[in-house]
Amino acid sequence: SPSKSELSQALYGACNWHFGNMNNAKKAAGLETQKMKYNPIKKSAYKISKEFAYVLGVVYGDGSVYIIENDHGSCGKIQLKVRESDFALYFRKILEKWSGLNARYFFDNNYFYNVILSSVDACRIIKNFNLNKILKWKKELQYEFLKGLFDSDGGIIGHNLNNRKYAKRWIHFSNNNLTLIKLVKRIFEKMQIKYSINRRIKSGFGSKKWQYQIQIYNLKDIFKYYKNIG
C-alpha cells in the first residue's frame, strides 16, 4: 500500500479529513496498513532498580529520549552519543540489562559512539518519572543515579598534578536543569559532602539559559564521592 511520501498533499489531507488518519483510509480501501515495530520491555523494568537509576542519570546528563506518535502508531528511542567507547559500551550493557532488549551500538561519521534503544515503553518510563521521588530511594539507588549523571555530564579535572604544592583537582557537574541541580545538592548534603555551586549564561548557539555547575574541591570529599559513587 502507498506511503505518505507516495501520496499527493491534497490526497493525504483528504484522507485525514474523511477518515481521521491514513491507516483508517487504507482499511476502508481494503489496503494493508503499516504498523511500527513494538518492542515490549521486560516486566521488571517497571520497578526501581540500580540499572534503572543509572540509565535515568545518564539520560538526564548527555543522553536523550524521543517519542514519536503518528498515524502508524508510536515509537521511541533512548540515545547516548559520546566520544568515549568504554562509557558507551558500559551504558549499553546496563541499558540492555534494565530493559531486556538489545540496543544498537555504532561509530558514526562524526567520530561519536552511539547507543540507541528503540522502545516506546522504556521512553515513557523515563519521561514520566518524577525526579523528586529519588530523594525517597535507598541511598544505594541514589548513588547509582549520581554515577550515571556524572559519568555522562560531569568529570574530574586536575591541574599541576606533577607539583604537589600547587596541584589541584576537583569533581564537577554542569547542567541547566535547576531541579536536577537541587536534587544533586540534597543528596550531597545527606552524604555530608561539601560542594560549591556557581552559574553563568550558557555559551553557544545563542542560548540565554543559565548553566549551573557543582564542584567538589576538598580531597576528603572527593575520596568520599569515589568510595560511595565511583
Side-chain angles (χ1 to χ4, degrees):
S1 61
S3 64
K4 177 182 175 181
S5 60
E6 297 169 323
L7 295 172
S8 69
Q9 186 174 358
L11 179 56
Y12 182 75
C15 290
N16 278 327
W17 175 263
H18 289 287
F19 297 98
N21 58 53
M22 279 302 302
N23 269 345
N24 287 341
K26 289 178 180 179
K27 288 178 182 178
L31 298 174
E32 181 182 356
T33 59
Q34 297 175 348
K35 294 183 179 180
M36 292 184 176
K37 187 178 179 180
Y38 175 62
N39 291 326
I41 58 175
K42 62 182 184 181
K43 293 181 180 179
S44 62
Y46 289 92
K47 299 179 181 180
I48 304 301
S49 63
K50 285 187 176 182
E51 292 77 23
F52 170 72
Y54 183 81
V55 169
L56 188 69
V58 171
V59 167
Y60 271 92
D62 272 345
S64 56
V65 175
Y66 304 97
I67 295 179
I68 299 172
E69 295 180 303
N70 56 34
D71 295 341
H72 303 306
S74 301
C75 68
K77 68 176 181 179
I78 296 172
Q79 182 171 8
L80 179 67
K81 194 173 184 177
V82 293
R83 297 289 188 187
E84 304 82 12
S85 61
D86 290 347
F87 173 39
L89 287 169
Y90 181 73
F91 177 66
R92 179 193 186 190
K93 174 184 175 182
I94 300 300
L95 187 61
E96 290 182 340
K97 186 175 181 180
W98 166 62
S99 66
L101 299 173
N102 293 326
R104 291 176 58 209
Y105 170 77
F106 61 93
F107 188 61
D108 65 27
N109 293 331
N110 294 316
Y111 308 105
F112 282 97
Y113 295 93
N114 290 258
V115 177
I116 297 178
L117 178 74
S118 298
S119 169
V120 69
D121 288 342
C123 291
R124 284 173 175 158
I125 291 173
I126 299 290
K127 283 266 191 181
N128 295 333
F129 185 79
N130 184 348
L131 285 178
N132 292 319
K133 291 184 177 180
I134 292 175
L135 293 173
K136 297 180 181 179
W137 285 358
K138 294 179 179 179
K139 63 181 182 180
E140 292 80 8
L141 296 174
Q142 294 180 2
Y143 297 165
E144 281 298 315
F145 172 75
L146 288 186
K147 178 175 173 59
L149 202 59
F150 277 71
D151 279 357
S152 61
D153 218 8
I156 185 164
I157 297 176
H159 287 165
N160 301 317
L161 297 182
N162 293 327
N163 189 329
R164 187 172 182 180
K165 183 178 179 180
Y166 298 103
K168 292 181 180 179
R169 57 178 63 82
W170 65 93
I171 295 171
H172 68 94
F173 168 73
S174 299
N175 204 280
N176 58 22
N177 186 330
L178 186 56
T179 299
L180 197 61
I181 295 296
K182 289 180 178 179
L183 176 60
V184 174
K185 287 170 56 179
R186 291 284 300 277
I187 297 175
F188 279 167
E189 287 164 2
K190 288 168 66 176
M191 295 176 68
Q192 296 184 328
I193 287 180
K194 295 178 182 178
Y195 61 88
S196 65
I197 183 169
N198 55 53
R199 67 175 186 171
R200 63 180 176 85
I201 294 293
K202 186 178 181 181
S203 61
F205 305 104
S207 175
K208 299 298 182 182
K209 290 183 178 181
W210 284 109
Q211 179 84 7
Y212 300 90
Q213 186 171 71
I214 291 180
Q215 298 144 329
I216 303 172
Y217 287 100
N218 186 286
L219 194 58
K220 178 182 177 182
D221 292 316
I222 291 175
F223 284 142
K224 185 183 292 185
Y225 173 91
Y226 278 105
K227 178 182 178 181
N228 291 285
I229 298 170

